[in-house]
Amino acid sequence: LGSPAPTGGIAVSLSSSLPGAVSVPATVTVPAGATSASFTATTFAVGSTTAQLVATLGGTTLFAALGVTQASSVTLSALTLNPTTVAGGSSSTGTVTLNAAAPPGGAVVNLSDNSAAATVPASVTVSAGTTSRTFSVATSVVAIATPITISGSSGGATRSATLTVNPPNPPAPAAPTLQSPANAATGVAQPVAFDWADVANAVDYEIQIDSTSTISAPFTANQIVGVSQASIGALPAQQLWWRVRARNAAGVFGPFSATRRFTPAAATPTTPGTLAAPTLISPAADARFSSGQAIVFDWSDIAGATNYTIQIDDQSNFSSPIVSQSTSASTYSTSALPVTQMWWRVRASDASGTAGAWSSARRLEVR
């Protein structure tokens, strides 16, 4: 008012040009001695528009425009992580995506996680006119694999994704140092005892033997062993080369050792007429299978054999075989092996029941 309201106050008439968009009370009273009073203008969900609010007192009418915009329907439609599995101490990149472009001023997405092993910002803002924004997920070192739920919320919608944090990968093993047989050794008795130095972080070793110094597949012999030595027989009496490499718990092989050459002595059977050792065909060394999967074991036929014995054990020395099965064919199939790493070998027997030499052993894994 231009001057204070009289005793008892004074009522000012109010109206809206678009009551369906903006509603105002019929009057507002300016208290005695005051020059102004407030009132509430209530808006409704309509398309964007402008309403004229009208105040009248005596012969004076004044106007004020009030713009009404449509409520935003922008919500969070997705939250993704890349990668979804990391080693503790490294980071992953998260992306929040809206269902439409962010309005003027941007759209705030609140973030959270459910584990102390991960840290995300409290919120990120998707810039006006864009639909997505990235953010970093920091992780800390953990002792065991830890699944973490990363969540985001905006516009009444919440989306989540899972990040698995694993213990840090062990370093790749170093190259083993070969110990025996000595380089250029000749007349080495069979089965040949191979030995090399233990390597830190190694869980097993691969030994390769070949008739050429380049040592390339197909190998004369190839085994995975859990210790830093191997005993391998039935080798040809000729110059051969061998090398070893170690593998860590993450399945990462280190570099090969230096290569040594040797010449084994001719293999002699321990019993006259003993059958030769079969050559394993499949599964390949270090093959992996799913639990319950049918596994077919196959090996070479041996002249004079009437049956074969296959052994499968979770110990490389075959001290207590899980399977010790006789079969007339040079093949065996099973789907009942336990979930673990195992070794298998085969030998042949003749009509008199005399058993021949064991084949080399191969490792496989069911997981």
Side-chain angles (χ1 to χ4, degrees):
L1 304 180
S3 57
T7 302
I10 190 169
V12 178
S13 298
L14 302 173
S15 65
S16 168
S17 64
L18 296 173
V22 182
S23 173
V24 295
T27 61
V28 60
T29 298
V30 180
T35 58
S36 64
S38 300
F39 64 92
T40 299
T42 303
T43 62
F44 302 95
V46 295
S48 298
T49 188
T50 300
Q52 294 292 335
L53 305 188
V54 184
T56 301
L57 178 61
T60 303
T61 298
L62 299 178
F63 302 88
L66 177 62
V68 181
T69 58
Q70 186 170 354
S72 172
S73 59
V74 174
T75 63
L76 181 64
S77 63
L79 186 152
T80 59
L81 299 168
N82 184 33
T84 57
T85 301
V86 297
S90 56
S91 63
S92 177
T93 298
T95 302
V96 289
T97 303
L98 306 177
N99 66 335
V108 176
V109 179
N110 295 311
L111 301 172
S112 64
D113 61 73
N114 66 344
S115 173
T119 303
V120 297
S123 66
V124 293
T125 299
V126 181
S127 301
T130 64
T131 59
S132 64
R133 170 73 184 271
T134 61
F135 61 93
S136 180
V137 184
T139 66
S140 55
V141 175
V142 295
I144 60 173
T146 305
I148 300 170
T149 300
I150 308 297
S151 300
S153 60
S154 182
T158 299
R159 298 290 184 266
S160 300
T162 299
L163 175 67
T164 300
V165 180
N166 290 325
N169 291 330
T177 300
L178 304 185
Q179 295 179 338
S180 65
N183 192 36
T186 59
V188 181
Q190 298 206 56
V192 177
F194 297 92
D195 193 16
W196 55 91
D198 292 330
V199 174
N201 302 309
V203 296
D204 55 25
Y205 302 87
E206 180 184 22
I207 177 172
Q208 294 178 350
I209 305 169
D210 199 24
S211 58
T212 65
S213 60
T214 57
I215 308 184
S216 56
F219 307 109
T220 301
N222 180 32
Q223 283 191 23
I224 299 290
V225 294
V227 294
S228 58
Q229 56 186 223
S231 179
I232 302 176
L235 296 172
Q238 66 180 75
Q239 184 169 259
L240 300 172
W241 285 261
W242 68 292
R243 64 183 182 180
V244 179
R245 64 178 177 175
R247 180 168 56 179
N248 67 19
V252 177
F253 280 106
F256 275 107
S257 67
T259 299
R260 281 188 178 180
R261 60 186 172 92
F262 71 104
T263 303
T268 56
T270 57
T271 304
T274 298
L275 299 179
T279 299
L280 304 186
I281 298 175
S282 67
D286 206 34
R288 292 188 172 98
F289 301 91
S290 301
S291 177
Q293 179 179 350
I295 305 173
V296 178
F297 296 86
D298 191 18
W299 55 92
S300 63
D301 292 323
I302 298 298
T306 58
N307 61 72
Y308 302 89
T309 300
I310 178 173
Q311 289 187 345
I312 306 172
D313 199 351
D314 59 2
Q315 299 295 321
S316 60
N317 61 5
F318 295 90
S319 57
S320 55
I322 299 167
V323 172
S324 185
Q325 180 69 42
S326 178
T327 174
S328 59
S330 58
T331 184
Y332 172 74
S333 178
T334 181
S335 58
L337 293 178
V339 176
T340 186
Q341 71 173 15
M342 291 161 280
W343 287 261
W344 67 287
R345 64 181 182 178
V346 180
R347 69 179 177 184
S349 297
D350 60 21
S352 68
T354 301
W358 285 108
S359 68
S360 58
R362 280 188 182 177
R363 192 180 80 158
L364 73 150
E365 183 177 0
V366 175
R367 58 182 182 179

